Amino acid sequence: MTHEQIVRKLCLISAVFLTSPLRAADLQDLHLPVVPRTESERARIAAIVAPTHDFTTAEKFEANSGGAATVRPTKTADAFSQPSGNISFERELDFKVGNGLFRKLWVSSPSSTLASDGLGPLYNARSCQRCHLKDGRGHPPEGPDDTAVSMLVRLSVPDESRAIAEIDAYIATGPDPTYGGQVQDFGVAGHPAEARIIVSYSEASIALSEGEFASLRTPAYELADLGYGPLDPQVMLSARVAPQMIGLGLLDAIPASDILALADPDDRDGDGISGRPNIVWSTVYDQPMLGRFGVKAGQPSVWEQSAGAFHGDIGISSSLHPQGYGDCTEAQVLCRAAPDGNTPDHDNSEISDVGLELVSFYSANLGVPGRRDVDDKQVLRGKQVFYETGCTACHTPKHVTHRLDDQPEQSFQLIWPYTDMLLHDMGPGLADNRPEARATGQEWRTPPLWGIGLTQQVSGHSYFLHDGRARSLLEAILWHGGEAEAAKTRVIEMPKADRAALVRFLESL
């Protein structure tokens, strides 16, 4: 069954006209062909995902981070570019075609290559691969001669006219009236780029136990050479590097009910952790859904995340975002008047539904490499430190995905992503002060940790967090604040050997 058929079927079955704020408990996985769990399965799953108390040896199946979809770890930069380990030969062909579209260089309209025209007119990159190089993590500009090709800056302004009554505690914002929803730092011929992103840093030293020190760099962002006049005086900026792509289909398949069961918005258990779900408006289903993807969980599915990236990052229209001019605003008159690549052959857009489906399939099936050194004594000690420090309060180790029809790669898999998929207040140090749906300016979705130890190998750097400010895993830990302040303090004060073991455990993921 194609994605479009699934959408039509589920919309007929589950169509709901909401007239009051949606309760989180009412959220459904409308994007998935779900086979409901039996009571016996629920009991078995609860036992399987329960946290371990034995750190003398690795847990059963712990090396298989992505369940049966896990791929063999390699020592090359292609470690994140393999298809799901359990994919069939026939479906691997779809994966490879999707990879071709993911890597395709788009060109401006009009062009003789009708299958590839429609770029921009304003854009951040000419292909998905240009940001997600080797399907890995992006980085901020490294000096004045480096571009921000794998980093972007989101924009928004307060706008109560965009309030969504169906979503409780929704924070209404809209795009900057001149520059839209994000800064496009490239333009096709005849169209100036919107701005040039400049990043500078200030350093501060932190004392750790046993005489160790760490240095944290705080970024400052400047938008230089504005091409279309001033920004709105109320504009809010959020810099973000491209995230790694592995395991997205598995995260997409975690039951919303399981994620919601982890939420504790009022901190009723008194552990200082109060994860909340983001609830966003689904363009496909025209109703609220659980937010899953993006650093603030602003998109509900791989499909909608892919369509949004084509629209905002490359300026490529789809059936979800049919505007051939991409993110250009009414103030950018020449941009809106420029030729585009929308054609009847592509469903009156620049990438057809079939093309978007193939890219989404590719994105959903980038395999998670298996763990390394799971039985190493220092890794096991680091795992124990990870648990005892309280890191698992947000970085939930294990989940079991939905049982799914016609989606075997993600169906009923025990996975180890180390995330609860919820929003957490990380304190003022990491705040971008830009809300997104229900996420406040200090809240971020817990990022999955699987594959994090392969970042240097795949991406050629070790920059972490939403904007790449952290230059090591230890720096990333030391940036934690807010709900994670107590855990960070424990890391600062713990014996040096335990701190090293904790990092070694993370490197094994």
Side-chain angles (χ1 to χ4, degrees), residues 204-216 385 389-391 473-481 484-500 502-503:
S205 181
I206 292 183
L208 309 176
S209 65
E210 298 187 35
E212 287 197 324
F213 288 85
S215 182
L216 302 185
V385 172
T389 303
C391 304
L473 291 170
L474 179 59
E475 283 188 29
I477 294 169
L478 296 176
W479 268 110
H480 284 51
E485 182 70 29
K488 177 189 70 177
T489 300
R490 295 185 193 108
V491 172
I492 291 172
E493 296 175 349
M494 67 178 49
K496 175 182 175 179
D498 282 352
R499 201 160 44 240
L502 174 62
V503 171

Side-chain angles (χ1 to χ4, degrees), residues 277-415:
N278 204 354
I279 302 175
V280 301
W281 190 265
S282 166
T283 306
V284 171
Y285 298 97
D286 196 31
Q287 68 181 69
M289 288 181 64
L290 176 69
R292 294 174 183 262
F293 298 106
V295 293
K296 288 180 181 276
Q299 292 286 359
S301 68
V302 172
W303 172 273
E304 295 199 43
Q305 174 73 18
S306 299
F310 268 113
H311 168 73
D313 302 351
I314 313 177
I316 297 300
S317 62
S318 65
S319 58
L320 269 67
H321 301 281
Q323 303 85 1
Y325 48 77
D327 189 43
C328 294
T329 67
E330 292 181 0
Q332 296 167 320
V333 177
L334 293 179
C335 181
R336 288 207 171 193
D340 61 47
N342 284 0
T343 68
D345 291 341
H346 295 160
D347 301 320
N348 293 313
S349 56
E350 291 163 337
I351 185 169
S352 67
D353 285 348
V354 171
L356 183 57
E357 174 66 30
L358 287 165
V359 172
S360 300
F361 184 81
Y362 170 77
S363 301
N365 279 284
L366 284 163
V368 180
R371 287 276 307 281
R372 288 85 53 213
D373 304 322
V374 292
D375 282 315
D376 179 90
K377 288 185 178 180
Q378 188 182 30
V379 169
L380 288 169
R381 175 56 187 161
K383 178 182 175 182
Q384 183 174 1
V385 172
F386 187 84
Y387 275 64
E388 292 177 349
T389 303
C391 304
T392 58
C394 301
H395 291 283
T396 304
K398 296 174 278 185
H399 296 272
V400 173
T401 61
H402 273 302
R403 192 182 294 280
L404 302 170
D405 272 336
D406 301 320
Q407 200 171 318
E409 298 83 8
Q410 290 81 41
S411 181
F412 211 56
Q413 300 298 321
L414 170 63
I415 61 174

Side-chain angles (χ1 to χ4, degrees), residues 22 27 44 114 152 171 206 227 246 263 270 275-276 298 301 316 369 453 493:
L22 189 78
L27 295 174
R44 184 155 55 99
L114 296 179
L152 58 81
I171 305 171
I206 292 183
I246 57 173
R276 300 191 309 131
S301 68
I316 297 300
E493 296 175 349

